[in-house]
């Protein structure tokens, strides 16, 4: 499942992007000729799209690429070429290269938390009402999915492509056999339940410590629940060196080292390995997972034996939400599509986005990959008769947006790096308090530096 969010050093990108925007055409000035009103003629053209490689469903993604190109060629005469990236840093490098050279993919499929970084570069089309009309209208989208398209409704670059609220899967049979009615709503309570469910080669949780995208979301959620948003764009202050953040990391690390409710092999797991462990019945809880896991789980021995639940919203060490805490169940998560200003085929790009966000295509995508639609009609169809996704929809209503700042990309990467750099210590059994303090100081300096440079 793509829980990927792109990350990046926005300062240099912003300067380059703003310079590029000064000499770029607007979205309407480089249109393809129209064969008929409302239809774009792309005969002989190729549209280039950058998108993340799907680690869970690589074969299905390759087939989807072929199907999309064939449908688009039938509708417009143009073909679609997909480029993929496997990591956040890979995506950042490709975006930097494109922004600097003024050429590259026409469309980027970005994780929602990277949209502020992309916006700050000035290198992507700021959507006008005419642009929204080209993709079928702004009102065809689920309102919540528009929450991080831009800093406000008049300044948006991101068109919602898919929605990915994060939740927790759990093994109904294992919980029942342990006398547990339902998953805990506090992180401490969840750890206690996981201890009861850990025995032999069965563990309380499946957690992907080596994943490039998952770790920071745990830290972000627990910190926000304690009242710490990590960065404040208004005051340009980073607070990663705060005790709330340290407690969040310690909780996350302790599942493996102190509580011992996670398979030691999880030190090297990425998300697909965690999903596979849960699917084989080797773990009771699978936290920080999206609806995309349903496709895998329904094809596994776990079919019919699992359910989803909203992740705990009460922070570590607490039995209720602190007065300044936010009951953050998930980030506002998913993918936004943005169109490059340098693209010579912007109308064709919008035509592809319109096609991909149509009701039929969105329903097909969800059935193949599991991610939820952003199209309102498609979302309504997917919800019918699917009781499993009710907690996922509930989590979406409790989603909290990450800060809309060009500094967030660097901040997010810094949070992940704390985990990456702690892997050797975790392998040896623990991360010392002083070692964690040092890593948090480095992360603090990185985030503060990015805030100081962010526009």
């Amino acid at each position: 499942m793509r829980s990927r969010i792109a990350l990046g050093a926005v300062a240099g990108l912003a300067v380059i992007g703003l310079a590029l925007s000064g000499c770029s055409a607007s979205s309407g000035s480089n249109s393809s000729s129209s064969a008929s009103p409302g239809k774009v003629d792309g005969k002989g053209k190729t549209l280039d799209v950058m998108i993340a490689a799907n680690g869970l469903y690589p074969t299905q993604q390759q087939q989807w690429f072929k199907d999309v190109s064939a449908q688009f060629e039938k509708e417009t005469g143009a073909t679609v070429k997909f480029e993929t990236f496997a990591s956040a840093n890979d995506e950042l490098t490709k975006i930097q290269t494109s922004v600097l050279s003024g050429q590259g993919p026409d469309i980027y499929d970005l994780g929602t938390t990277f949209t502020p970084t992309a916006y700050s570069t000035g290198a992507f089309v700021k959507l006008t009402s005419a642009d929204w009309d080209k993709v079928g209208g702004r009102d065809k989208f689920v309102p919540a999915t528009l929450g991080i398209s831009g800093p406000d409704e008049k300044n948006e670059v991101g068109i919602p492509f898919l929605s990915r609220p994060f939740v927790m899967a759990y093994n109904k049979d294992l919980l029942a056999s342990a006398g547990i009615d339902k998953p805990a709503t506090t992180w401490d309570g969840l750890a206690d339940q996981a201890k009861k469910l850990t025995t032999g080669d069965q563990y309380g949780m499946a957690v992907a410590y080596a994943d490039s995208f998952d770790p920071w979301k745990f830290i972000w959620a627990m910190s926000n629940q304690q009242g710490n948003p990590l960065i404040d764009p208004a005051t340009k202050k980073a607070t990663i060196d705060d005790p709330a953040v340290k407690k969040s990391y310690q909780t996350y690390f302790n599942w493996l080292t102190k509580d011992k409710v996670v398979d030691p092999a999880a030190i090297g797991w990425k998300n697909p390995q965690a999903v596979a462990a849960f699917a084989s019945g080797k773990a009771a809880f699978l936290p920080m997972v999206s609806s995309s896991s349903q496709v895998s789980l329904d094809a596994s021995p776990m079919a019919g034996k699992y359910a989803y639940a909203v992740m705990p919203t009460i922070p570590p060490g607490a039995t209720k939400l602190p007065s300044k805490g936010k009951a953050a169940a998930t980030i506002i998560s998913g993918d936004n599509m943005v169109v490059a200003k340098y693209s010579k085929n912007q109308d064709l790009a919008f035509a592809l986005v319109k096609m991909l966000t149509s009701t039929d295509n969105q329903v097909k995508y969800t059935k193949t990959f599991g991610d939820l639609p952003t199209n309102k009609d498609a979302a309504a169809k997917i919800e019918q008769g699917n009781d499993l996704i009710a907690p996922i929809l509930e989590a979406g209503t409790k989603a909290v947006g990450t800060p809309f700042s060009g500094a967030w990309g660097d901040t997010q990467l810094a949070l992940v790096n704390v985990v990456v750099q702690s892997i050797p210590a975790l392998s040896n059994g623990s991360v010392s308090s002083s070692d964690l303090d040092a890593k948090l100081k480095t992360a603090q300096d990185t985030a503060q530096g990015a805030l100081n440079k962010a526009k």
Side-chain angles (χ1 to χ4, degrees):
M1 152 201 60
R2 183 175 143 208
S3 49
R4 72 106 181 120
I5 308 292
L7 312 163
V10 70
L13 270 175
V15 173
I16 295 168
L18 290 171
L20 178 64
S21 68
C23 60
S24 296
S26 67
S27 62
S29 64
N30 52 8
S31 306
S32 304
S33 60
S34 295
S36 61
K39 184 175 181 180
V40 180
D41 181 6
K43 187 175 182 179
K45 295 181 180 293
T46 298
L47 205 61
D48 197 338
V49 179
M50 177 74 71
I51 192 169
N54 193 309
L56 267 185
Y57 311 115
T59 303
Q60 293 90 331
Q61 187 180 46
Q62 290 301 315
Q63 185 61 51
W64 182 75
F65 290 162
K66 294 176 183 178
D67 293 344
V68 166
S69 186
Q71 182 184 353
F72 197 60
E73 185 171 16
K74 184 177 181 181
E75 292 186 7
T76 67
T79 57
V80 183
K81 174 187 174 185
F82 286 94
E83 296 181 53
T84 61
F85 56 89
S87 70
N89 284 329
D90 184 21
E91 181 176 20
L92 171 62
T93 299
K94 291 183 178 181
I95 290 179
Q96 284 176 319
T97 301
S98 297
V99 171
L100 181 63
S101 65
Q103 58 185 358
D106 300 281
I107 298 172
Y108 291 80
D109 182 47
L110 304 173
T112 47
T113 64
F114 184 60
T115 303
T117 300
Y119 178 87
S120 70
T121 68
F124 299 95
V125 174
K126 188 177 290 187
L127 301 166
T128 64
S129 58
D131 293 329
W132 281 112
D133 287 343
K134 292 173 188 175
V135 300
R138 192 175 183 275
D139 60 356
K140 87 172 186 180
F141 298 96
V142 176
T145 66
L146 293 158
I148 201 162
S149 290
D152 56 63
E153 190 172 327
K154 294 182 179 180
N155 294 281
E156 296 176 320
V157 296
I159 303 166
F161 172 49
L162 58 88
S163 178
R164 194 185 298 111
F166 289 96
V167 289
M168 176 169 59
Y170 65 95
N171 185 316
K172 294 188 292 184
D173 290 348
L174 290 182
L175 264 67
S177 65
I180 299 173
D181 294 334
K182 58 184 179 180
T185 58
T186 71
W187 287 109
D188 288 357
L190 184 65
D192 288 340
Q193 289 181 342
K195 290 175 185 176
K196 293 179 182 178
L197 291 159
T198 299
T199 178
D201 64 350
Q202 172 191 300
Y203 291 89
M205 295 186 194
V207 179
Y209 283 91
D211 196 82
S212 301
F213 311 106
D214 286 359
W216 74 266
K217 300 185 188 78
F218 286 100
I219 308 307
W220 174 90
M222 293 178 190
S223 297
N224 270 267
Q225 290 163 8
Q226 294 173 80
N228 184 344
L230 301 172
I231 65 170
D232 184 346
T235 62
K236 288 202 167 186
K237 183 180 179 182
T239 50
I240 293 178
D241 56 356
D242 184 83
V245 184
K246 183 176 183 178
K247 189 173 188 64
S248 300
Y249 275 106
Q250 288 174 326
T251 299
Y252 180 70
F253 291 153
N254 283 347
W255 293 337
L256 180 69
T257 60
K258 183 179 177 182
D259 301 330
K260 301 187 184 302
V261 297
V262 178
D263 188 333
I267 292 175
W269 286 356
K270 295 186 184 299
N271 185 267
Q273 285 73 51
V275 173
F278 179 81
S280 67
K282 297 297 186 181
F285 295 112
L286 176 64
M288 204 59 70
V289 71
S290 75
S291 58
S292 64
S293 62
Q294 185 177 350
V295 177
S296 290
L297 297 178
D298 283 350
S300 77
M302 196 53 56
K305 300 177 182 179
Y306 76 97
Y308 293 112
V310 176
M311 282 186 290
T313 55
I314 306 300
T319 56
K320 64 179 181 179
L321 193 69
S323 58
K324 294 183 179 180
K326 290 185 177 180
T330 175
I331 59 173
I332 295 177
S333 179
D335 285 6
N336 286 330
M337 288 190 163
V338 297
V339 176
K341 279 187 176 180
Y342 58 69
S343 172
K344 296 179 181 179
N345 298 297
Q346 289 179 11
D347 279 359
L348 199 60
F350 284 122
L352 178 61
V353 175
K354 180 179 182 180
M355 187 188 90
L356 292 177
T357 56
S358 68
T359 300
D360 287 347
N361 275 306
Q362 291 257 293
V363 169
K364 289 177 184 177
Y365 192 94
T366 296
K367 290 182 177 179
T368 302
F369 299 103
D371 294 308
L372 297 179
T374 57
N375 176 301
K376 284 193 293 190
D377 291 340
K381 288 186 176 183
I382 290 297
E383 289 171 30
Q384 292 176 0
N386 191 345
D387 295 335
L388 270 175
I389 69 169
I392 301 175
L393 299 175
E394 180 185 354
T397 67
K398 297 178 179 178
V400 174
T402 51
F404 200 95
S405 167
W408 181 252
D410 280 328
T411 301
Q412 184 175 305
L413 182 58
L415 295 172
V416 173
N417 281 342
V418 172
V419 178
V420 171
Q421 294 161 10
S422 297
I423 293 296
L426 288 172
S427 298
N428 290 325
S430 67
V431 178
S432 70
S433 178
S434 59
D435 189 23
L436 182 55
D437 285 340
K439 290 178 171 57
L440 290 178
K441 184 181 185 306
T442 300
Q444 168 71 14
D445 292 343
T446 298
Q448 189 60 60
L451 272 171
N452 292 341
K453 296 174 184 177
K455 295 184 180 296

